[in-house]
Amino acid sequence: MHPRILKGRLSAFAAFLPAVIASFSLPGCGYSEEEWKAQLDKYNRLQSQQQSTESRLAETQKALEVEQEKVAELTKQLEAAGVDISKLNENLQATSTQVSQLSSTLEEREKALAEFKARARQLEQIKARFETLRKKLDELTKLGLAVNIRNNRMVISLPGDVLFDSGRETLKKEGKDILTKVATVVRNDPSLLQRYYQVAGHTDNKPLAGGPFRDNWGLSLMRAREVLLFLVSPADVKGGGGALPAAKWSAAGFAETDPVATNDTDDGRRKNRRCDLIVVPSVEEMLDLKAIAQ
């Protein structure tokens, strides 16, 4: 029974009870002592039920508020790290609006509490996976490389100007050196070695003037291909290689379509000329994100 309805009935009964009790003392009222006791017991039971319901409502509301705060804090932490979950909590927002109404029942609040607890567990799993992966890639940050979460994927950014000369796709010695160090970090960690990766080539927005690549699409793709071929080549071949498993790697070119900075300044264009090594999400990670979006 809804707590407000129950409370209303109890109040009415409480107001009526003195008159009932008084009537029992009148001659010829027709009530036996057993009937009087039954009515009193019924009142006591209703009062006890009301107190129990109010107590459970208060406890559930307090627990719900704790879980709501936990979800909000985890969401804030993940978004600060670069994980986009802006569309993933829409269902919870609707639930919060519903239970914020004073007329929400105990059953509705307990259901909302279960939903928030489940969402908090999911967010904690996602956070733990990203943090574990980031720690494994700490060695790369020590090399001066940027390791970030972008589009819900861990991304290792390699500066294009370190890897290549302007308008060229041939790796410079400095570029080979840094790729060799990246490959060593991946190769020395079994969990990193067994993951899938994509090399993504990017350019600034300056049009490519002719040449064999024709446009920025061609240049970005050929640069990604060059990085990939070096990473999967045996270490003892001429020019060296990363000796990483070729079946785990792929390449793609994005031209100037995915900038990380403005193209209106020299510094911004320099940041946009890059090759990203994208750690492809595992099945478990994709299921985490899919589950929380439902």
Side-chain angles (χ1 to χ4, degrees):
M1 181 181 296
H2 193 288
R4 284 191 166 185
I5 298 174
L6 181 60
K7 186 175 183 180
R9 292 185 178 180
L10 284 173
S11 298
F13 189 83
F16 177 68
L17 186 63
V20 173
I21 294 174
S23 68
F24 291 157
S25 62
L26 295 176
C29 66
Y31 288 102
S32 67
E33 183 177 353
E34 289 76 11
E35 290 173 330
W36 177 82
K37 289 182 177 180
Q39 291 295 324
L40 187 59
D41 288 343
K42 180 179 179 181
Y43 171 78
N44 288 334
R45 286 197 303 272
L46 287 172
Q47 187 179 44
S48 177
Q49 289 174 6
Q50 170 66 14
Q51 292 173 345
S52 176
T53 299
E54 289 180 348
S55 176
R56 288 179 61 192
L57 267 172
E59 292 174 0
T60 303
Q61 182 62 31
K62 184 176 180 180
L64 177 59
E65 290 172 358
V66 170
E67 294 301 322
Q68 286 174 325
E69 291 177 2
K70 183 186 295 185
V71 167
E73 180 60 25
L74 286 168
T75 299
K76 181 179 178 181
Q77 292 175 6
L78 286 169
E79 288 178 343
V83 183
D84 181 12
I85 57 174
S86 58
K87 296 181 180 180
L88 303 185
N89 285 334
E90 291 179 354
N91 291 340
L92 281 190
Q93 291 172 358
T95 300
S96 295
T97 301
Q98 182 181 6
V99 300
S100 65
Q101 300 173 359
L102 294 177
S103 60
S104 61
T105 65
L106 175 60
E107 182 181 359
E108 290 170 340
R109 297 193 186 195
E110 288 178 337
K111 180 180 177 182
L113 175 59
E115 291 178 6
F116 272 91
K117 282 185 175 180
R119 183 55 48 90
R121 286 194 298 270
Q122 291 169 335
L123 291 174
E124 286 171 344
Q125 289 173 356
I126 293 172
K127 181 184 176 184
R129 290 186 189 280
F130 277 117
E131 287 181 344
T132 298
L133 183 56
R134 187 188 290 276
K135 288 178 181 178
K136 290 180 178 294
L137 297 172
D138 274 349
E139 289 299 317
L140 299 181
T141 62
K142 295 175 182 178
L143 297 176
L145 300 178
V147 179
N148 300 298
I149 300 172
R150 196 157 185 266
N151 297 324
N152 291 340
R153 298 186 175 196
M154 194 70 74
V155 177
I156 306 156
S157 288
L158 307 172
D161 294 352
V162 173
L163 299 174
F164 308 100
D165 288 321
S166 179
R168 302 290 299 276
E169 95 289 3
T170 304
L171 283 168
K172 299 192 296 186
K173 182 182 183 306
E174 186 181 2
K176 290 181 179 181
D177 291 342
I178 195 69
L179 287 176
T180 299
K181 293 176 181 178
V182 170
T184 300
V185 171
V186 174
R187 211 171 46 244
N188 288 341
D189 188 310
S191 65
L192 291 178
L193 188 62
Q194 68 181 4
R195 296 192 67 125
Y196 287 87
Y197 300 84
Q198 182 184 73
V199 183
H202 302 273
T203 68
D204 58 30
N205 68 342
K206 283 192 172 182
L208 193 64
F213 311 115
R214 301 179 61 181
D215 52 31
N216 283 331
W217 288 103
L219 178 60
S220 63
L221 181 56
M222 292 306 294
R223 283 183 167 182
R225 174 182 179 274
E226 190 75 4
V227 170
L228 179 145
L229 290 178
F230 181 86
L231 290 172
V232 301
S233 295
D236 56 356
V237 300
K238 184 178 180 180
L244 295 175
K248 301 287 187 180
W249 289 79
S250 62
F254 292 86
E256 70 273 14
T257 63
D258 189 20
V260 293
T262 178
N263 275 305
D264 296 331
T265 65
D266 290 339
D267 183 61
R269 287 190 291 272
R270 177 184 59 79
K271 292 178 180 177
N272 290 330
R273 296 189 297 269
R274 69 195 192 279
C275 272
D276 289 339
L277 305 183
I278 301 172
V279 184
V280 178
S282 65
V283 173
E284 291 82 4
E285 290 159 351
M286 287 189 288
L287 287 175
D288 279 347
L289 292 171
K290 182 178 179 180
I292 200 172
Q294 294 176 343

